[in-house]
Amino acid sequence: MAASMEENRKYLTKLDSEIGDGDHGNNMRRGFAAALERLEGTSPSSPADVLKAVSMALIGKVGGAAGPLYGTAFLRAATVLSGDEVSPEDAASALEAALGGVKQRGKAEVGDKTIVDALTPAVEAAKEVAGSPEATVAAVFRAAAEAAAVGAESTVPLTARKGRASYLGERAQGHRDPGATSTQLLLDAAARSLEGAG
């Protein structure tokens, strides 16, 4: 995830420059670099501890609304995981908990042109795949990432109803939401890592 945020820093910044304050790429890169540093400096004993460490780094390092939203997402995901193993059902539940946290903190719904527009279909896809007999955690995240990509693209024609982009009214139409896009990129990075592709 840290590598993806580094790789896509300029892209996210470009998207945010069009409808926001232009700092999303830099903020996300800084936050996930801090998360990586935090994880390398400690020895988390469980998947939940990893998510908690990432959450704390994001809350501490990512400015604007993204830090609290993503920090809450990772923290909520941690609350539904127990033990050392993560099943496909656990992965889907963690994503659903993350969405619940984002919605509660941001008060956003689908169609508001936010992270929720990518994360909601991601959770639906994850739950569907997790329920199949051949499910793997990697397959859950791959389905989530692909659904998030569609969700992020769906923000292009929308008028923003939350955040700085909402100040633009209809002028926000025609632009892809940077938060929905970073959600897509993070899920894709998780899927690729689980698939062994980096």
Side-chain angles (χ1 to χ4, degrees), residues 21-72:
D21 50 15
D23 63 357
H24 191 60
N26 288 329
N27 275 334
M28 294 297 284
R29 182 199 58 78
R30 183 171 56 251
F32 278 90
L36 184 61
E37 185 176 325
R38 181 181 283 247
L39 290 171
E40 289 174 344
T42 60
S43 298
S45 60
S46 68
D49 284 345
V50 170
L51 295 175
K52 289 176 187 173
V54 173
S55 170
M56 293 303 108
L58 297 180
I59 290 171
K61 293 292 185 180
V62 179
L69 289 171
Y70 276 119
T72 299

Side-chain angles (χ1 to χ4, degrees), residues 16 18-21 112-114 158-173 177:
D16 198 32
E18 293 169 351
I19 59 171
D21 50 15
D112 286 344
K113 202 177 181 93
T114 71
L158 297 176
T159 298
R161 294 195 292 254
K162 295 287 180 183
R164 188 175 294 269
S166 66
Y167 303 155
L168 298 176
E170 293 183 354
R171 285 181 291 145
Q173 294 176 2
D177 182 67

Side-chain angles (χ1 to χ4, degrees), residues 42-109:
T42 60
S43 298
S45 60
S46 68
D49 284 345
V50 170
L51 295 175
K52 289 176 187 173
V54 173
S55 170
M56 293 303 108
L58 297 180
I59 290 171
K61 293 292 185 180
V62 179
L69 289 171
Y70 276 119
T72 299
F74 277 82
L75 194 58
R76 288 292 183 86
T79 63
V80 301
L81 300 180
S82 60
D84 297 332
E85 300 293 326
V86 176
S87 70
E89 292 83 1
D90 292 336
S93 295
L95 288 173
E96 187 169 29
L99 173 61
V102 169
K103 290 175 76 172
Q104 183 179 31
R105 180 166 284 278
K107 312 293 185 206
E109 297 294 336

